Amino acid sequence: MAVASVETSIRTGSMTRVFLYLVLILFSLFYLLPFVVMVLNSLKPLSEITGGNMMALPEVWTVEPWISAWATAQIGIEPTGLSPYFWNSIKMVVPAVAISTMLGALNGYVLTKWRFRGDTIFFGLMLFACFIPFQIVLIPMARVLGLTGLAGSTPGLVLVHVVYGLGFTTLYFRNYYMAFPTELVRAAQIDGAGFFNIFWRILLPSSGPIIVVSVIWQFTNIWNDFLFGASFADLDSQPMTVALNNLVSSSTGVKEYNVHFAGAIIAALPTLVVYIVAGRYFVRGLMAGSVKG
Amino acid sequence: MATTLARADYRTRLQTILPKLVLSPSLALILLFVYGFILFTIYLSFTDSRMLPSFGWVGFENYDKLFRLRHWSVAVSNLAIFSTLYISICIVIGLALAIFLDQKIRGEGVLRPIYLYPMALSFIVTGTAWKWLLDPGIGLENTMHLWGWDSFTFNWIKDRNNAIYTIVLAAVWQTSGFVMAMFLAGLRGIDNEMLKAAQIDGASNFQLYRRIIIPQLRPAFLSAFVILAHLSIKSYDLIIALTGGGPGRATEVPATFMYSYTFTRNQMGIGASSAVIMLMTIAAIMIPYLYAELREKD
């Protein structure tokens, strides 16, 4: 249950209720089907997929496709499996999420507690930056990464993701800190506390919910990014999504559907785990920000 | 103000500069990497850049060429079909599921995460799943044949005329649950007193929704529309993973067009001009929305 939920006072008849449950269950099947198919077929030998029924349970259960997808499948030219790319993604996501969240928090703090002339314009500029189609920055970005020697490297990708994630993290923290009593900040100021001291001791300790929102948001977006990875990474820094796409769309040899499915699940696992473990905090934190802000 | 500043010692002066100092790296990053880059791409769209940026001014030639390209008009009309269907189907499904879930449904706590989880997946994963699910050789069509329904055909993904609808299907699968959550949050914020009053006056459920509840969901409709519209214009990954823009050019959209013209066909000037058109389309939707939002909150 959502925290602030108020149940409707609409009343429904029993026929209607049967219909409601039917529709709701049908839709849950629609949402579950692709994932169930992926899981089932990732546990089958290839012959059961090409010669059998995709919706059927495996006759022979095997984890071979998973091992292959992780460690031995042909990706591009190397038979390395997805594992090196998994670590590439981790090395890119962790610093990018940390830096963009930290900057977002500081920006939100300044924009709400140290307001100055033109701060709304600044915020508007950041906000619009969230929504630009990234195609508009691809060419100059490739150029700048090339000139600075960051092309094809993980630090280059971290930079890209920090820059284009800043708008969202700033938005979240700004909305959240809007609701934080400014009097507390002023009182601390009178007591002689400085800029960072106030942030560190007064705002940060109560920022838990919005840090969770920002981290989940950034983690999912950056982990799932394909466009920047495909444009700016080389073999040593390619993220998971790009490797998965290479695995699935490689035109040579037999299409190993079971390996593709296993690979897709591996690529989806980190964000799914985050969603299952922390999804409810995400919705709650967002509400805390928007309801009060 | 001036006198207090003059009397302020070093520490307080630092305190007044510090906030702006803290903001400045972000400002610099955004100004350079967003607005500077936008200007650079706009400039490139007026040049004769091919494989690399070059600075020979050609005026509107690239735009002229762009709008004459059959490839581009296919991409634009595909985007029009895709976004119209995607936005409207997501809103219909999202609203219906939200209203249904709001009827004190037992098991809401189980159903809601099932509707929402696709949002956590990458479009590449979604594309891979649906690509093989819709493949006539091994997917749904084959299953139906094995289950004895021999005349069943579902080969849209291989069919030039229908492939774009498979993109709609997969995209709706991914985001409609999220739209549901937005509407559900809106529904939960509606004041029950008014509903009770209308119920006493004998209003039917249908009338309650049509006349009282749905009109109050206006903000949710607006945000859903804005988010879906901007997602649909940006969508690139899903198309790459699901169809690769094919069969032929049947599912080419501006995002894939821009990428292939810029990076594989060495027509950077035309690629840049297509990116500018994409930006302008999104700006036409976002700027009024953001302007209204910011004014309201201040």
Side-chain angles (χ1 to χ4, degrees):
Chain A
M1 278 285 126
V3 246
S5 76
V6 180
E7 283 200 325
T8 177
S9 58
I10 296 272
R11 287 180 296 255
T12 39
S14 56
M15 277 306 284
T16 326
R17 294 196 74 76
V18 172
F19 171 75
L20 291 184
Y21 276 101
L22 215 63
V23 173
L24 288 172
I25 290 169
L26 270 175
F27 267 95
S28 65
L29 293 179
F30 168 65
Y31 290 115
L32 283 175
L33 180 78
F35 202 74
V36 172
V37 167
M38 281 207 285
V39 173
L40 286 182
N41 289 283
S42 72
L43 296 166
K44 280 178 193 174
L46 186 59
S47 58
E48 277 188 46
I49 301 179
T50 47
N53 188 340
M54 201 179 231
M55 305 291 169
L57 288 176
E59 282 162 34
V60 184
W61 295 79
T62 167
V63 290
E64 208 52 54
W66 283 76
I67 296 169
S68 166
W70 178 252
T72 61
Q74 185 94 14
I75 312 241
I77 40 165
E78 302 279 345
T80 56
L82 290 168
S83 55
Y85 305 97
F86 188 90
W87 299 118
N88 284 348
S89 271
I90 298 273
K91 275 183 262 172
M92 164 185 85
V93 168
V94 174
V97 170
I99 297 171
S100 59
T101 299
M102 225 167 57
L103 284 175
L106 284 169
N107 290 345
Y109 170 51
V110 173
L111 288 174
T112 52
K113 302 302 168 214
W114 299 84
R115 301 196 57 170
F116 54 91
R117 274 171 62 96
D119 59 354
T120 314
I121 295 173
F122 172 83
F123 182 59
L125 285 175
M126 296 214 87
L127 209 52
F128 181 67
C130 297
F131 297 99
I132 56 165
F134 292 131
Q135 280 75 15
I136 197 82
V137 297
L138 281 185
I139 303 171
M141 194 56 162
R143 197 96 173 121
V144 166
L145 289 178
L147 289 175
T148 51
L150 289 171
S153 75
T154 300
L157 288 174
V158 171
L159 172 73
V160 173
H161 286 300
V162 167
V163 169
Y164 300 109
L166 259 184
F168 275 111
T169 56
T170 303
L171 168 71
Y172 290 141
F173 280 99
R174 174 193 179 260
N175 284 356
Y176 189 78
Y177 287 154
M178 286 263 258
F180 191 89
T182 307
E183 303 82 63
L184 280 183
V185 176
R186 294 291 161 255
Q189 246 182 312
I190 291 164
D191 291 346
F195 177 84
F196 285 110
N197 223 335
I198 295 174
F199 178 66
W200 195 252
R201 303 219 176 173
I202 301 181
L203 274 100
L204 216 48
S206 64
S207 305
I210 205 64
I211 293 177
V212 171
V213 168
S214 171
V215 167
I216 294 181
W217 177 268
Q218 284 297 87
F219 181 83
T220 353
N221 273 331
I222 300 173
W223 184 275
N224 288 341
D225 162 72
F226 175 76
L227 182 62
F228 289 140
S231 312
F232 304 134
D234 63 17
L235 273 182
D236 300 326
S237 56
Q238 255 173 16
M240 200 57 185
T241 46
V242 177
L244 175 65
N245 189 53
N246 287 345
L247 170 74
V248 174
S249 56
S250 74
S251 47
T252 48
V254 191
K255 283 211 184 311
E256 295 184 290
Y257 302 108
N258 49 359
V259 177
H260 298 174
F261 285 132
I265 301 173
I266 295 173
L269 224 44
T271 49
L272 267 185
V273 167
V274 166
Y275 167 76
I276 290 165
V277 172
R280 85 183 77 192
Y281 300 106
F282 183 72
V283 178
R284 212 175 288 175
L286 264 188
M287 294 257 240
S290 62
V291 169
K292 283 186 265 165
Chain B
M1 188 71 187
T3 46
T4 39
L5 266 182
R7 268 186 285 124
D9 58 350
Y10 170 73
R11 212 181 101 86
T12 39
R13 208 172 313 162
L14 182 70
Q15 291 296 326
T16 53
I17 304 171
L18 213 47
K20 285 170 194 161
L21 216 57
V22 164
L23 221 48
S24 53
S26 301
L27 182 63
L29 286 176
I30 293 286
L31 283 182
L32 174 66
F33 285 89
V34 177
Y35 297 95
F37 281 11
I38 288 175
L39 290 178
F40 186 78
T41 306
I42 292 175
Y43 181 73
L44 278 186
S45 74
F46 292 105
T47 66
D48 56 357
S49 304
R50 314 268 304 179
M51 200 174 112
L52 290 168
S54 70
F55 302 101
W57 186 264
V58 295
F60 280 93
E61 200 184 301
N62 288 322
Y63 290 92
D64 201 41
K65 277 189 198 152
L66 179 71
F67 285 109
R68 275 175 224 229
L69 276 173
R70 169 115 183 80
H71 196 157
W72 173 252
S73 52
V74 168
V76 170
S77 65
N78 277 337
L79 179 63
I81 298 172
F82 169 69
S83 38
T84 313
L85 288 173
Y86 168 64
I87 295 171
S88 42
I89 297 175
C90 272
I91 287 184
V92 169
I93 292 181
L95 181 63
L97 288 180
I99 289 178
F100 289 3
L101 260 192
D102 196 33
Q103 310 301 323
K104 305 184 191 74
I105 291 294
R106 217 171 291 170
E108 186 197 325
V110 179
L111 289 169
R112 227 177 14 176
I114 293 179
Y115 297 163
L116 264 171
Y117 88 91
M119 196 64 194
L121 305 181
S122 142
F123 276 116
I124 301 292
V125 172
T126 303
T128 307
W130 283 97
K131 182 181 185 154
W132 299 142
L133 203 59
L134 296 173
D135 189 280
I138 58 161
L140 266 180
E141 186 177 304
N142 181 44
T143 300
M144 290 303 169
H145 290 175
L146 290 169
W147 282 346
W149 185 357
D150 288 325
S151 60
F152 182 88
T153 45
F154 191 63
N155 57 357
W156 285 6
I157 199 163
K158 303 271 184 200
D159 173 3
R160 273 163 187 275
N161 296 320
N162 290 322
I164 190 74
Y165 303 113
T166 62
I167 311 266
V168 176
L169 176 63
V172 165
W173 179 79
Q174 171 122 359
T175 28
S176 47
F178 176 67
V179 178
M180 181 279 299
M182 293 175 72
F183 280 122
L184 194 59
L187 285 172
R188 295 277 149 92
I190 283 176
D191 182 16
N192 269 321
E193 293 311 308
M194 214 200 289
L195 292 184
K196 282 179 186 147
Q199 275 170 334
I200 292 165
D201 290 342
S204 70
N205 280 349
F206 180 73
Q207 283 172 321
L208 287 180
Y209 274 101
R210 233 198 79 184
R211 306 214 176 255
I212 302 181
I213 299 177
I214 292 181
Q216 284 194 57
L217 290 178
R218 254 185 75 130
F221 273 102
L222 190 61
S223 353
F225 172 80
V226 168
I227 289 175
L228 292 170
H230 121 271
L231 275 180
S232 70
I233 296 169
K234 284 164 90 166
S235 55
Y236 171 77
D237 326 10
L238 181 62
I239 291 153
I240 293 297
L242 194 61
T243 62
R249 286 174 191 162
T251 52
E252 203 79 67
V253 292
T256 57
F257 174 97
M258 185 277 167
Y259 200 89
S260 65
Y261 266 71
T262 308
F263 296 111
T264 53
R265 288 165 176 252
N266 298 331
Q267 298 271 12
M268 193 174 274
I270 292 178
S273 62
S274 68
V276 172
I277 303 285
M278 288 177 67
L279 177 75
M280 283 176 9
T281 317
I282 286 190
I285 300 167
M286 292 310 303
I287 289 179
Y289 176 73
L290 294 179
Y291 184 70
E293 284 276 295
L294 280 180
R295 266 182 46 147
E296 211 171 285
K297 281 198 175 135
D298 261 13

